[in-house]
Amino acid sequence: MAEPYGFLGLGIMGTAMVRNLIKAGKKVVVWNRTASKCEELVQEGAKAGKSPADVVAQCPITFAMLAQDEVALEVTFGPDGVLNGIKEGKAYVDASTVGPNTSKKISDAVTKKGGRYLEAPVSGTKQPAEQGKLIFLTAGDKSLFSDVKPALDILGSKALFLGDVGNGARMKVTVNMVMGTMLNALSEGLALSEKAGLSQESLLEVLDAGAMSCGLFKTKGPEMLKGEYPVSFPLKHHQKDMRLALAVGDEVAQPLPVAAAADQNFILAKSLGYGNEDTAAVYKALRGTEKRV
Amino acid sequence: MAEPYGFLGLGIMGTAMVRNLIKAGKKVVVWNRTASKCEELVQEGAKAGKSPADVVAQCPITFAMLAQDEVALEVTFGPDGVLNGIKEGKAYVDASTVGPNTSKKISDAVTKKGGRYLEAPVSGTKQPAEQGKLIFLTAGDKSLFSDVKPALDILGSKALFLGDVGNGARMKVTVNMVMGTMLNALSEGLALSEKAGLSQESLLEVLDAGAMSCGLFKTKGPEMLKGEYPVSFPLKHHQKDMRLALAVGDEVAQPLPVAAAADQNFILAKSLGYGNEDTAAVYKALRGTEKRV
Amino acid sequence: MAEPYGFLGLGIMGTAMVRNLIKAGKKVVVWNRTASKCEELVQEGAKAGKSPADVVAQCPITFAMLAQDEVALEVTFGPDGVLNGIKEGKAYVDASTVGPNTSKKISDAVTKKGGRYLEAPVSGTKQPAEQGKLIFLTAGDKSLFSDVKPALDILGSKALFLGDVGNGARMKVTVNMVMGTMLNALSEGLALSEKAGLSQESLLEVLDAGAMSCGLFKTKGPEMLKGEYPVSFPLKHHQKDMRLALAVGDEVAQPLPVAAAADQNFILAKSLGYGNEDTAAVYKALRGTEKRV
Amino acid sequence: MAEPYGFLGLGIMGTAMVRNLIKAGKKVVVWNRTASKCEELVQEGAKAGKSPADVVAQCPITFAMLAQDEVALEVTFGPDGVLNGIKEGKAYVDASTVGPNTSKKISDAVTKKGGRYLEAPVSGTKQPAEQGKLIFLTAGDKSLFSDVKPALDILGSKALFLGDVGNGARMKVTVNMVMGTMLNALSEGLALSEKAGLSQESLLEVLDAGAMSCGLFKTKGPEMLKGEYPVSFPLKHHQKDMRLALAVGDEVAQPLPVAAAADQNFILAKSLGYGNEDTAAVYKALRGTEKRV
């Protein structure tokens, strides 16, 4: 009914998502700033739109998965942007990770023109995107959430509706804050084991045998020991989310001393040049790889 | 071959462990400072010894599960203590959680008299003890580890041998340090959600749907939201382990800034009177329950 | 030569500064949003201007001491604002504490119209303002710094030129970051003394007898012990400066773990309702006044 | 009346102290483990004793300035130790920095034999010792404090009586904890200035012009900028005092999150090999000298 779906932004995440929609038999009209990225998907069955406005014009519901606030704003408000296509009956679902203010600005503009808006940042990176196991943290128009639920169920394993626009972004940085502290907990445990002459493999084994067993430790622990950090979530982006979560804490006067300490370790890792490596590289900063031999 | 097993110390943990040995068809000679605690187990098939020395005299391998360093030392070195029964052919497996120094002292004394010693603190509390799912972090005499492995397999789901005496204690506090930081990560996430107007239940749901899903969060998260903290691991004991782990870090010059921040929250919780509640009560300290309404 | 001086903003600080200029025999044309605040100074010899533009038109050099970024922008860019009077030969010295971006925006606008601009936030609060002992942290037009130096020497005990616009603001938050950590150091020392049964007065005496003796401790220490916090620098403003300093650290990848911990205590103090008290009230948060009796 | 004074321990501090007593016209009987260190002082007028017991036998009041707990215990309880000379009418003033437990043990032994004991650790290092400007943090026998006050006034600029034995040690580590946090505050300010392109000299100038001006910053600031750390207080000793202060906080349930963060930086500095440099070298750890160029 809601087909074809529009989809703006064909990076690693967006491409994987579109592919899953196609595999599920859905019609998709795609657009990307660098048009060449559309080709492969067109061969797989997608149709290419000429501009964000053109995509919105062709589709009742358009998704976006864009890199950052600036791009999200440009794609919305720029020439031939999303807004040019928005009118009553049109809906825009933004899965990009943007700040609450950006989200609010886009929401207001879309709503003013009679459209519906859903903020829908995801928890999960490349692999979950490919496997259709993303978690959607949505907020905004609840009727749109219901209408788009079938598509979200193709793209992800869970979709939550969290209330007012901005709550999706806030929940996402809160979740990533917990993850950031957990990575520091694991890093400190491994670094301490090594210095104290304990087997690091044994620590991972003990952690995995009890109540702390989790996918994060199963994946990142061995990577830390090998010193190989295939980029799933760049450290500098994780640090940005920690910063945003701490800013929310500041705003609502909730002390977050442990997350603040964890954030400082990510900043230390950035200062050591690990910003573009996977977030697990925070271990190197705590361990003092090169330096503290 | 190694039967009957001796067992000293019949608190919550020790009683559950003896019961599992009996259920597995093993003969056990028990002793407890307060003798009345032996009665129930005697009815279930155990035999009561008169003193630690008496138990050791009757059994090739004797386990201990005692409350703290002072008790472990008294039971070993005191009148009619373990040492009085130790000679060649006798083995002592101490599952109590004691500091590395205490462990070393007992080990030296046992070894000097021709006996074998295994330090074997456990990861896991009441429930794993009852279910035979403890994790043993052993160190000391490797041949004894092999000989006692069948019994450890009855009592627990995993037994690691970690090298020199002291490594068991060090590994245990390292594991509990990681757990302490994780509990703070969860607490800060929940406190931030509440203050920022996000659904705390949704946060738990998101955490449980992805790579951070773990038994610890599944158990402690809902307890934090209910404000009920059935004591599985008293906060003050957890804080003691954090302190010991930080002391190891200090000794080997490994900075542990995130664990140090987490430790301070446990101290804050103690200052607020939560020391005897479950360790999950650290959430109340971070949230500021009574005060910051 | 540069007289009369213009002066915009007659709050506690501005009023004290104008008074010092008048006492030194200088002619001053003043303006304040609430015009009644001009009266007293007019009686003391100042002349009242009709608007920021009017003041700038009458004076070669105009100072401003305004409450915050929004006001500084309004006074500059608003109707009858500073910009309306700026042309070649006019200079604007903004002693308000504003962010580097605001400062840059005003600087660009003033310069574009042919005027000269000096960012000149101060270190020091009410008392130093009254005593002419402010410290000026200036940046921007170096020739203007030279021209305005005689006036700065009347208003303060020191004036530094720090280079490009923005450096004044950055230096100010760096200085206040150091102060924020120092206040936490003192607070923790006093709180520890009390809990450990040591005389807090003795601690202050020892601190004052050695290398740590400083005006800050001399003033704030006794206030903390009395529990009286006459507002010299509101805690919430100090916390804002800590936040800004940490943001600079984040931007340039300089870890600041101790300041981050101190900032969290200020946030804790805000959450307890101490935001409008003097910054020294952070002691109450660390001590746990009401709660941890 | 109380002359001659006994003096045990002729390190840098002890030698300077004895010299000041001699200059003030006092008779002193000295002893040092390495006897050759007595020679110079004997030429200046001191008399050499054969053992701690011999010194105590000759003097109504004997001072000690020893390196650490082990030495203090050996000198007291060892063969020909202090205790052998103690009887009614004899007094022992221990200016060594030892833990509260060691202090208590010595106090009990001295008192049991009818002697009087004063714990008297000092705040201040080499230079204040030479200039007679030490600060004595005494505890124990109040009548002895009165009797020894004239000598303390020669050796120092201030002497406080703090109550029960142990309070001297506790006050000393509290004072050094405040100092440790202050050094971190200064270090972070300087590191931030550098990274943000601000003049570090200007930061020191601003700090010195206002309420934060203190001898500590005047001395350590320029040393940090030069990268020269003449050892006045070895970093590893300062870190030990931080650790002890945090242990007191833990014991009395007083959270000290900022000092804990500062302590971690000292541990980082130790891990980088700066333990034997002056405590101001913590700046190098925060700045990341070698690495983060």
Side-chain angles (χ1 to χ4, degrees):
Chain A
M1 183 180 69
E3 297 177 62
Y5 290 112
F7 207 106
L8 313 177
L10 301 174
I12 291 172
M13 299 290 288
T15 299
M17 292 164 80
V18 170
R19 198 162 274 148
N20 280 329
L21 287 172
I22 294 172
K23 276 185 201 157
K26 303 296 174 189
K27 295 200 172 74
V28 192
V29 183
V30 300
W31 173 88
N32 192 67
R33 205 153 38 154
T34 311
S36 60
K37 287 207 177 172
C38 297
E39 289 167 22
E40 205 178 345
L41 290 169
V42 167
Q43 287 182 350
E44 297 175 29
K47 189 179 157 191
K50 289 173 203 153
S51 67
D54 178 42
V55 170
V56 172
Q58 294 185 47
C59 310
I61 296 179
T62 298
F63 290 89
M65 191 60 166
L66 303 161
Q68 54 208 27
D69 290 57
E70 292 70 29
V71 180
L73 290 168
E74 170 68 16
V75 165
T76 308
F77 294 96
D80 293 320
V82 167
L83 276 189
N84 288 33
I86 292 288
K87 58 181 181 185
E88 207 170 320
K90 295 294 182 182
Y92 188 48
V93 179
D94 196 349
S96 317
T97 292
V98 296
N101 291 339
T102 296
S103 195
K104 188 70 172 51
K105 205 177 288 183
I106 297 175
S107 172
D108 287 350
V110 167
T111 312
K112 205 172 167 186
K113 295 198 70 172
R116 291 183 298 164
Y117 176 79
L118 192 70
E119 174 192 29
V122 301
S123 178
T125 49
K126 190 187 171 190
Q127 209 182 342
E130 291 170 348
Q131 300 173 337
K133 294 198 170 160
L134 294 169
I135 302 168
F136 288 92
L137 309 172
T138 78
D141 189 308
K142 191 153 191 183
S143 73
L144 176 52
F145 174 70
S146 299
D147 292 351
V148 84
K149 190 68 169 38
L152 299 183
D153 287 344
I154 292 166
L155 300 170
S157 56
K158 186 174 281 287
L160 295 168
F161 183 77
L162 299 162
D164 292 340
V165 164
N167 282 355
R170 278 184 209 100
M171 180 61 85
K172 172 157 177 156
V173 298
T174 301
V175 168
N176 282 353
M177 177 185 85
V178 174
M179 182 165 65
T181 301
M182 282 178 71
L183 284 175
N184 274 275
L186 180 61
S187 297
E188 290 190 346
L190 287 172
L192 181 58
S193 296
E194 187 183 24
K195 282 271 183 77
L198 300 171
S199 156
Q200 294 181 307
E201 287 76 12
S202 293
L203 175 63
L204 292 183
E205 205 178 340
V206 176
L207 290 174
D208 196 44
M212 286 175 269
S213 175
C214 62
L216 189 72
F217 288 1
K218 267 193 236 287
T219 308
K220 302 301 184 187
E223 288 178 11
M224 290 173 181
L225 296 197
K226 268 185 235 152
E228 291 171 9
Y229 302 97
V231 182
S232 159
F233 187 20
L235 189 144
K236 68 183 176 189
H237 292 171
H238 198 172
Q239 194 270 322
K240 188 191 71 177
D241 286 357
M242 297 287 291
R243 176 200 308 152
L244 292 171
L246 288 167
V248 175
D250 193 336
E251 201 183 324
V252 301
Q254 172 60 50
L256 302 165
V258 181
D263 180 48
Q264 292 296 320
N265 284 333
F266 281 114
I267 293 174
L268 174 61
K270 282 202 310 180
S271 82
L272 295 167
Y274 309 150
N276 290 316
E277 300 189 38
D278 187 68
T279 179
V282 72
Y283 169 63
K284 291 200 284 184
L286 272 162
R287 180 181 180 243
T289 311
E290 289 93 348
K291 214 170 177 184
R292 295 173 220 165
V293 181
Chain B
M1 183 180 69
E3 297 178 61
Y5 291 112
F7 207 105
L8 313 177
L10 301 175
I12 291 172
M13 298 291 286
T15 299
M17 292 165 81
V18 170
R19 196 162 274 149
N20 280 329
L21 287 172
I22 294 173
K23 276 186 201 156
K26 302 296 174 189
K27 296 200 171 75
V28 192
V29 182
V30 299
W31 173 87
N32 193 66
R33 205 154 36 158
T34 310
S36 61
K37 285 206 177 173
C38 297
E39 290 167 21
E40 205 177 345
L41 290 169
V42 167
Q43 288 183 351
E44 297 175 30
K47 188 179 157 191
K50 287 173 204 152
S51 68
D54 178 43
V55 170
V56 172
Q58 294 187 48
C59 309
I61 296 178
T62 297
F63 289 88
M65 191 59 166
L66 303 161
Q68 54 207 25
D69 290 57
E70 292 70 28
V71 180
L73 290 168
E74 170 68 16
V75 165
T76 308
F77 295 95
D80 293 320
V82 167
L83 276 188
N84 289 31
I86 292 288
K87 58 180 181 184
E88 207 171 322
K90 296 294 181 181
Y92 188 48
V93 180
D94 195 350
S96 317
T97 293
V98 296
N101 291 339
T102 295
S103 195
K104 189 70 172 52
K105 204 176 289 182
I106 297 175
S107 171
D108 288 349
V110 167
T111 312
K112 205 174 167 184
K113 294 199 70 172
R116 292 183 297 163
Y117 176 78
L118 193 70
E119 174 192 27
V122 300
S123 178
T125 49
K126 189 185 170 190
Q127 210 182 339
E130 292 171 347
Q131 300 173 339
K133 294 198 170 159
L134 294 169
I135 302 168
F136 288 92
L137 309 171
T138 78
D141 189 309
K142 193 155 189 183
S143 72
L144 176 52
F145 174 69
S146 299
D147 291 351
V148 83
K149 189 68 170 35
L152 299 182
D153 286 344
I154 292 166
L155 301 171
S157 55
K158 187 174 277 291
L160 294 168
F161 182 77
L162 300 162
D164 293 339
V165 165
N167 281 356
R170 280 185 208 99
M171 180 61 85
K172 172 155 179 161
V173 297
T174 301
V175 168
N176 283 353
M177 177 186 84
V178 174
M179 181 166 66
T181 301
M182 283 178 71
L183 283 176
N184 273 275
L186 180 61
S187 297
E188 289 189 347
L190 288 173
L192 180 58
S193 295
E194 187 182 25
K195 282 271 183 75
L198 300 170
S199 157
Q200 294 181 306
E201 286 76 13
S202 293
L203 175 61
L204 292 183
E205 204 178 340
V206 175
L207 291 175
D208 196 45
M212 286 175 270
S213 176
C214 62
L216 188 73
F217 288 1
K218 268 193 235 287
T219 308
K220 303 300 185 188
E223 287 178 10
M224 289 173 181
L225 295 196
K226 268 185 234 149
E228 291 171 10
Y229 302 97
V231 182
S232 159
F233 187 19
L235 190 143
K236 67 183 178 190
H237 291 171
H238 199 172
Q239 194 271 321
K240 188 191 70 177
D241 286 357
M242 298 287 291
R243 176 201 308 152
L244 292 172
L246 288 166
V248 175
D250 193 336
E251 200 184 325
V252 301
Q254 173 58 52
L256 302 165
V258 181
D263 180 48
Q264 291 296 320
N265 284 332
F266 281 113
I267 294 175
L268 174 60
K270 282 201 312 180
S271 82
L272 295 167
Y274 307 151
N276 290 316
E277 300 188 37
D278 187 69
T279 179
V282 72
Y283 169 63
K284 291 199 285 183
L286 273 161
R287 181 181 179 240
T289 311
E290 290 92 346
K291 212 166 176 185
R292 298 173 219 167
V293 180
Chain C
M1 184 179 68
E3 297 179 61
Y5 290 113
F7 207 106
L8 313 177
L10 301 175
I12 291 171
M13 299 291 287
T15 299
M17 292 164 81
V18 170
R19 197 162 274 148
N20 279 329
L21 288 171
I22 295 173
K23 276 186 201 156
K26 302 296 174 189
K27 294 201 172 75
V28 192
V29 182
V30 299
W31 172 88
N32 192 66
R33 205 153 38 156
T34 311
S36 60
K37 286 207 176 172
C38 297
E39 288 167 22
E40 204 179 344
L41 290 169
V42 166
Q43 288 182 351
E44 297 176 29
K47 189 178 156 189
K50 288 174 202 151
S51 67
D54 178 41
V55 170
V56 173
Q58 293 185 49
C59 309
I61 297 179
T62 298
F63 289 89
M65 190 60 167
L66 302 161
Q68 54 207 27
D69 290 57
E70 293 69 29
V71 180
L73 290 168
E74 170 69 15
V75 165
T76 309
F77 294 95
D80 293 320
V82 168
L83 276 188
N84 289 32
I86 292 289
K87 59 180 180 185
E88 207 170 321
K90 296 294 182 183
Y92 187 47
V93 180
D94 196 350
S96 318
T97 292
V98 296
N101 292 338
T102 296
S103 194
K104 189 70 171 53
K105 205 176 287 182
I106 297 175
S107 171
D108 287 349
V110 167
T111 312
K112 205 173 168 184
K113 294 199 70 172
R116 291 184 298 163
Y117 175 78
L118 193 70
E119 174 192 28
V122 300
S123 178
T125 49
K126 190 187 170 190
Q127 210 183 340
E130 292 170 347
Q131 299 173 338
K133 294 198 170 160
L134 294 169
I135 302 168
F136 288 92
L137 308 171
T138 78
D141 190 308
K142 191 155 192 182
S143 74
L144 175 52
F145 174 70
S146 298
D147 291 352
V148 84
K149 190 66 170 35
L152 298 182
D153 288 344
I154 291 166
L155 300 170
S157 56
K158 185 173 281 287
L160 295 167
F161 183 78
L162 299 163
D164 292 341
V165 164
N167 282 355
R170 279 184 209 100
M171 180 61 85
K172 173 157 177 155
V173 296
T174 301
V175 168
N176 283 353
M177 177 186 85
V178 174
M179 181 165 67
T181 301
M182 282 178 71
L183 283 175
N184 273 275
L186 180 62
S187 297
E188 290 190 347
L190 287 173
L192 181 57
S193 296
E194 187 183 24
K195 282 272 183 75
L198 300 170
S199 156
Q200 295 180 306
E201 286 76 13
S202 293
L203 175 62
L204 293 183
E205 205 177 340
V206 176
L207 291 174
D208 197 43
M212 287 175 268
S213 175
C214 63
L216 188 72
F217 288 1
K218 268 192 235 289
T219 307
K220 302 301 184 188
E223 288 177 12
M224 289 173 182
L225 296 197
K226 268 184 234 151
E228 291 172 8
Y229 302 97
V231 182
S232 159
F233 186 21
L235 189 144
K236 68 182 178 191
H237 291 170
H238 198 173
Q239 194 270 322
K240 189 191 69 177
D241 285 357
M242 297 287 291
R243 176 201 309 153
L244 293 171
L246 288 167
V248 175
D250 193 336
E251 201 184 323
V252 300
Q254 173 59 51
L256 302 164
V258 181
D263 180 47
Q264 292 296 320
N265 284 332
F266 281 114
I267 293 175
L268 174 61
K270 282 203 310 180
S271 82
L272 295 168
Y274 309 150
N276 291 316
E277 299 188 39
D278 187 69
T279 180
V282 73
Y283 169 63
K284 291 199 284 183
L286 273 161
R287 181 182 179 240
T289 311
E290 290 92 347
K291 213 169 176 184
R292 296 173 220 164
V293 180
Chain D
M1 183 180 68
E3 298 179 59
Y5 290 112
F7 207 107
L8 312 177
L10 301 175
I12 292 173
M13 298 291 288
T15 300
M17 292 165 81
V18 169
R19 198 162 274 148
N20 280 328
L21 287 172
I22 294 173
K23 277 186 201 155
K26 302 296 173 189
K27 295 200 172 74
V28 192
V29 182
V30 300
W31 173 88
N32 192 67
R33 205 156 33 161
T34 310
S36 60
K37 286 205 176 173
C38 297
E39 290 167 21
E40 205 178 344
L41 290 169
V42 166
Q43 288 183 350
E44 296 176 30
K47 189 179 157 189
K50 289 173 202 154
S51 68
D54 178 42
V55 170
V56 172
Q58 294 186 47
C59 310
I61 297 179
T62 298
F63 289 90
M65 191 61 167
L66 303 161
Q68 54 208 26
D69 291 57
E70 292 69 29
V71 181
L73 290 169
E74 170 69 16
V75 165
T76 308
F77 295 96
D80 292 321
V82 167
L83 275 188
N84 288 33
I86 292 288
K87 57 181 181 185
E88 206 170 321
K90 296 294 181 183
Y92 188 49
V93 179
D94 196 350
S96 317
T97 292
V98 295
N101 291 339
T102 296
S103 195
K104 188 70 171 52
K105 204 176 286 182
I106 297 175
S107 172
D108 287 349
V110 167
T111 312
K112 205 172 167 187
K113 294 198 69 171
R116 292 183 298 164
Y117 176 78
L118 193 70
E119 174 191 28
V122 300
S123 178
T125 49
K126 190 187 171 191
Q127 209 182 340
E130 292 171 348
Q131 299 173 338
K133 293 199 170 160
L134 294 169
I135 302 168
F136 288 92
L137 308 172
T138 79
D141 189 309
K142 193 156 191 183
S143 73
L144 175 53
F145 174 70
S146 299
D147 291 351
V148 83
K149 190 68 170 33
L152 299 182
D153 287 345
I154 292 166
L155 301 170
S157 56
K158 186 173 279 290
L160 294 168
F161 182 78
L162 299 163
D164 292 341
V165 164
N167 282 355
R170 279 185 209 100
M171 180 61 85
K172 173 157 178 156
V173 297
T174 301
V175 168
N176 282 354
M177 177 185 84
V178 173
M179 181 166 64
T181 301
M182 284 178 72
L183 284 176
N184 273 275
L186 180 62
S187 297
E188 290 190 346
L190 287 173
L192 181 58
S193 297
E194 187 183 24
K195 281 272 183 75
L198 299 171
S199 156
Q200 295 181 305
E201 287 76 13
S202 293
L203 175 62
L204 292 183
E205 206 178 339
V206 175
L207 291 175
D208 196 44
M212 285 175 270
S213 175
C214 61
L216 188 73
F217 288 1
K218 267 193 236 290
T219 307
K220 302 300 184 188
E223 288 178 9
M224 289 174 181
L225 296 196
K226 268 185 235 152
E228 291 171 9
Y229 302 97
V231 182
S232 160
F233 186 20
L235 189 143
K236 67 183 177 189
H237 291 172
H238 198 172
Q239 194 270 321
K240 188 190 70 177
D241 285 357
M242 298 287 291
R243 176 201 309 152
L244 293 172
L246 287 167
V248 175
D250 192 336
E251 200 184 325
V252 301
Q254 172 59 51
L256 301 165
V258 180
D263 180 48
Q264 292 296 321
N265 284 332
F266 281 113
I267 293 175
L268 174 61
K270 281 202 311 180
S271 82
L272 296 167
Y274 309 151
N276 290 315
E277 300 188 38
D278 187 68
T279 180
V282 72
Y283 169 63
K284 291 200 285 183
L286 273 162
R287 182 183 179 239
T289 311
E290 289 93 347
K291 210 165 180 186
R292 297 173 221 164
V293 180

